[in-house]
Amino acid sequence: VGSVLGELTFGMHLNSDESMALGAAFHGANVSTSFKVRHVGMADVNSFPVAVDLTDLSVGKEEKKGGGGLFGIGKKKSEEAKKAKDDDDAWAKHATIFKLGSKLGVKKTIAFSYDKDVHVEVSYEEGETLPVGTGLSIEQYDVSGIESFAKEMAEKELGTPKISLQFELDTSGLTQLIKAEAVVEETVIVEEEVEVEDDEEDEAKEGEEKEEKDAKAEDTKEEKKEAEEAATEGEATEEKKEDGEEKKEEEKKEKKKKTKTVQKEKKKKHVRTLSVDRYNVGNIRPYSPEIMAESKAKLDTLAQADKERMMLEESKNKYESYIYYIRNKLIDDEEEISKVTSEEQREVLRQSAEDAEEWMFDEGYTADLATYEAKYVELSTPAEKAFFRVTEMKARPKAIEALKTKLGKVKD
């Protein structure tokens, strides 16, 4: 790295983890559109050159059948497509839109004149930087609407549409077609009102000026004779000439203007946004809307299964806990329970806890959620009735005392 960077000094104050985090923070600051921060002097570049191949849509459909390359995502062309390209009459164009080392986050436009629908293939160019076996095809597009637009323009006796395709190399290094449109320019004659000088007044003034010039020419001859006799009279003549020139300039400024309708040529643009259908070839492809919906449905099914599993585990724990609750209650509160239940009833509760435990580790091992919920109700209902009677027995003396107190207050 030092040999490449030259005289630049390395910073040794960060470890490898911190340096990656700091670099990611700088990169995020540069590409962020939500926060405006000071620009950091770093730029990410394209690692592989990207090219565009344009063919007639009929040829592109033949290419669509092929996948080729490793994993079927290369640029293998069908025999029909190759023959069509080799034919002198076949229309095809190739251009490298993003060269090796191009900055990310830029857009480029390809413009050409054509009157038929086209097939666009964006792919990597083969080179030393591209790993061996990498599929070349990135994405393909069917651009339609050109032929119908060209026919409309031909009916109006206009030229061939100019097609503009705009590609973007985003900050993630992904290339895609983001805009496609066709444009035809038409020269039209329009009438506009402009201000011009009034010609009639100009002609009248020109006649007056000619008469003035003739009169001044005669005066000039007489003035020359008089100038030999008196110099002061010569000076007066010069002042008159200057006054006459000033009057001419003022008259020119005071010329009247009028509105006149003239015809001018103007360019009118006919713009049509083209239809773009994108797809990928090969076995490894981006998610289509259908596959995305199917994947989401699978995820929802798995999420529901996880939820039911957690609910089942929770129900099992609840059921097992209640078994131990009954046993501990019969031992810890044996005296209170014996006052509200018979020996037979207590024995039934002990036996129900034992049966529940035996069922749980036998048939209950594979039981579902609904079965566990039903078994919990079956186990807890008789036990809760006995335990509730114990609670009533404990609360009864206090309730009687409270009632007596209220009755005493009523008597008073």
Side-chain angles (χ1 to χ4, degrees), residues 87-155:
D87 191 355
D88 294 338
D89 296 333
W91 181 88
K93 291 185 179 292
H94 175 86
T96 302
I97 51 175
F98 299 111
K99 296 181 179 180
L100 178 65
S102 300
K103 287 186 178 181
L104 302 186
V106 297
K107 299 176 182 178
K108 285 191 178 181
T109 302
I110 293 178
F112 56 92
S113 296
Y114 198 51
D115 58 356
K116 292 182 180 180
D117 297 339
V118 297
H119 172 78
V120 182
E121 181 175 4
V122 180
S123 57
Y124 293 117
E125 283 196 335
E126 295 187 60
E128 296 179 355
T129 59
L130 196 67
V132 177
T134 301
L136 302 181
S137 179
I138 299 175
E139 200 163 28
Q140 302 191 21
Y141 307 89
D142 289 341
V143 181
S144 57
I146 302 175
E147 192 168 354
S148 59
F149 181 65
K151 288 180 180 179
E152 292 179 16
M153 296 299 101
E155 291 174 358

Side-chain angles (χ1 to χ4, degrees), residues 319-353:
Y319 186 71
E320 187 176 12
S321 298
Y322 204 82
I323 293 172
Y324 292 109
Y325 174 72
I326 293 175
R327 288 176 176 175
N328 294 335
K329 196 76 171 175
L330 290 174
I331 295 173
D332 297 339
D333 299 336
E334 183 179 1
E335 185 178 350
E336 287 83 1
I337 294 173
S338 62
K339 293 179 182 180
V340 296
T341 60
S342 63
E343 181 64 30
E344 185 180 353
Q345 290 175 327
R346 292 192 296 275
E347 186 60 30
V348 170
L349 291 178
R350 291 190 192 97
Q351 190 61 40
S352 66

